[in-house]
Amino acid sequence: GVTPKKEIQEGISFDEWMRHFAPPSKLVGGYYRGEISWEEFEVAYRRFLESDALKIQLEEFAERCLKEPITLVCIEADARCV
C-alpha cells in the first residue's frame, strides 16, 4: 500500500508498516467503485490474509502480538476500522 499523505512516514509517524497485510489494490478499488459490498470486501480480504503466501507471516505477527504491545492504525478518511 501507499500512504496518501506525505506527512505519514515510517519511523516518524509510526514504527513499522506491514504493507504485505494491506488489502490488494484491486480489492480496495472494487469496494470504492461500488462493485462489491463491504461484506464482500471483508470475505475477500480474510481469504487474502488466510492465503498460503501470508499464512506464516500472519502467524508470526499473531505470536508477536502476544509478546509485545501492538497498535493497529487505519488512515482511511471513511474507514470501517472495527
Side-chain angles (χ1 to χ4, degrees):
V2 176
T3 179
K5 297 184 178 186
K6 292 178 184 175
E7 64 269 16
I8 300 173
Q9 297 179 25
E10 190 165 1
I12 298 172
S13 305
F14 55 92
D15 295 322
E16 186 176 0
W17 185 2
M18 302 181 108
R19 291 171 179 86
H20 50 281
F21 292 144
S25 57
K26 282 187 175 185
L27 181 59
V28 174
Y31 172 71
Y32 280 112
R33 288 189 300 274
E35 298 167 359
I36 61 172
S37 67
W38 179 255
E39 290 75 21
E40 292 169 312
F41 176 90
E42 283 184 296
V43 169
Y45 184 44
R46 284 182 189 266
R47 258 192 240 122
F48 167 76
L49 289 173
E50 293 167 353
S51 69
D52 289 340
L54 287 180
K55 188 175 183 176
I56 293 173
Q57 291 173 316
L58 194 56
E59 289 172 358
E60 289 172 352
F61 181 64
E63 287 291 321
R64 185 174 162 193
C65 290
L66 295 172
K67 297 175 183 172
E68 63 185 275
I70 303 287
T71 302
L72 301 177
V73 180
C74 181
I75 61 167
E76 292 292 325
D78 185 24
R80 294 186 181 200
C81 300
V82 292

